[in-house]
Amino acid sequence: MLRVLCLPRPWRPLWARGCASDGAAGGPEIQVRALAGPDRGITEILMNRPRARNALGNVFVSELLEALAQLREDRQVRVLLFRSGVKGVFCAGADLKEREQMSEAEVGVFVQRLRGLMNDIAAFPAPTIAAMDGFALGGGLELALACDLRVAASSAVLGLIETTRGLLPGAGGTQRLPRCLGVALAKELIFTGRRLSGTQAHGLGLVNHTVAQNEEGDAAYHRARALAQEILPQTAEVSNCIQVPTGRSSKSMHTSTLPVFAKLPSRGILIYFPISNVC
């Protein structure tokens, strides 16, 4: 049974002012649902931009930022779960079609907004889980990396593929992937733009759990929801109290960095890896 937020419907839309939505049937691209009954305390963010495979466009980012701002003040949110309403896709990354229409200055502003979005997810006061039931590429994987926990279907496809398009991961992937996997492996995955299956990602430690996909295409979501149920008896503050070697929380710390430089072969692109002391 669901506890409905504000509106008499299971999903609550969050609209970005002054922008046209690309959601299903012209609906919102980001929707919020708070669960009830034994799942009370679990809130889901549904990403629903099917025509663009949940690409990170201006409207999508605006609605997601608005949702996070509202949920951050809701003390009933004990676990926040990110999922997709588009079968076979978690998030396909930045909307390159929109980016082609932007000036250089507008691109810079948009990239800063993306970084701010990922930081907002990483700093969310309750545990966050990404349920990847399909493609999580580029910015889509960066979104998942900003979450505390990740669950993937075995058939999901994950990767920071920007270098294959002459771009660089711009929303935190060059910092969060090394923290998760170590510097050498992260460099290899970023330099090559390699795509991993959910099973491979689990073997490397990129995701916490992997499950065989079901006919409905939402196996990772159900596993993530079960994981959220395990977290519920604990306090939401536990995610901010996990200590790192400096004694600061992993969510609020100002990253102590060691500069690591590397060039992409034949591309002449210099990447700066700020590597924190987080393992």
Side-chain angles (χ1 to χ4, degrees), residues 173-192:
T174 57
Q175 296 108 55
R176 293 189 175 97
L177 190 63
R179 293 177 197 169
C180 185
L181 300 181
V183 177
L185 182 53
K187 284 183 180 180
E188 179 179 338
L189 295 178
I190 293 172
F191 292 166
T192 61

Side-chain angles (χ1 to χ4, degrees), residues 16-256:
R17 294 179 178 87
C19 299
S21 174
D22 186 37
E29 297 178 9
I30 298 297
Q31 300 171 35
V32 176
R33 179 172 70 169
L35 306 187
D39 294 326
R40 183 173 182 177
I42 301 173
T43 296
E44 300 176 356
I45 286 184
L46 181 82
M47 301 180 291
N48 191 39
R49 193 186 178 197
R51 286 183 290 179
R53 295 163 61 85
N54 285 344
L56 297 163
N58 271 306
V59 173
F60 188 101
V61 171
S62 294
E63 292 184 4
L64 189 46
L65 283 168
E66 183 181 348
L68 290 168
Q70 292 185 20
L71 293 172
R72 193 180 301 117
E73 304 303 321
D74 187 348
R75 298 187 65 84
Q76 295 186 60
V77 178
R78 302 282 297 281
V79 184
L80 185 60
L81 194 157
F82 291 82
R83 59 177 297 204
S84 171
V86 182
K87 189 172 183 179
V89 177
F90 177 70
C91 175
D95 190 329
L96 297 182
K97 291 183 178 179
E98 275 194 16
R99 184 166 180 166
E100 289 175 356
Q101 307 302 316
M102 296 179 185
S103 67
E104 185 175 341
E106 289 172 332
V107 170
V109 170
F110 182 69
V111 170
Q112 289 298 326
R113 292 184 71 218
L114 279 181
R115 290 174 183 166
L117 171 63
M118 303 312 172
N119 288 337
D120 281 357
I121 294 171
F124 194 79
T128 52
I129 307 175
M132 296 176 283
D133 272 303
F135 287 90
L137 301 174
L141 181 54
E142 289 180 300
L143 191 156
L145 284 168
C147 293
D148 295 305
L149 306 172
R150 289 164 291 281
V151 179
S154 57
S155 58
V157 179
L158 293 70
L160 295 180
I161 63 170
E162 287 89 343
T163 54
T164 65
R165 301 177 180 182
L167 303 171
L168 294 175
T174 57
Q175 296 108 55
R176 293 189 175 97
L177 190 63
R179 293 177 197 169
C180 185
L181 300 181
V183 177
L185 182 53
K187 284 183 180 180
E188 179 179 338
L189 295 178
I190 293 172
F191 292 166
T192 61
R194 185 176 302 152
R195 301 183 183 209
L196 303 172
S197 69
T199 301
Q200 291 171 320
H202 182 252
L204 295 177
L206 182 55
V207 301
N208 299 80
H209 301 278
T210 184
V211 289
Q213 188 57 280
N214 56 27
E215 291 185 7
E216 293 75 21
D218 60 357
Y221 161 66
H222 286 292
R223 180 65 185 91
R225 185 163 165 176
L227 181 58
Q229 291 168 343
E230 290 185 68
I231 295 172
L232 277 180
Q234 319 308 322
T235 62
E237 288 74 13
V238 71
S239 68
N240 282 328
C241 294
I242 298 176
Q243 297 299 307
V244 295
T246 59
R248 288 172 290 184
S249 105
S250 62
K251 285 212 169 195
S252 62
M253 66 178 292
H254 296 287
T255 303
S256 299

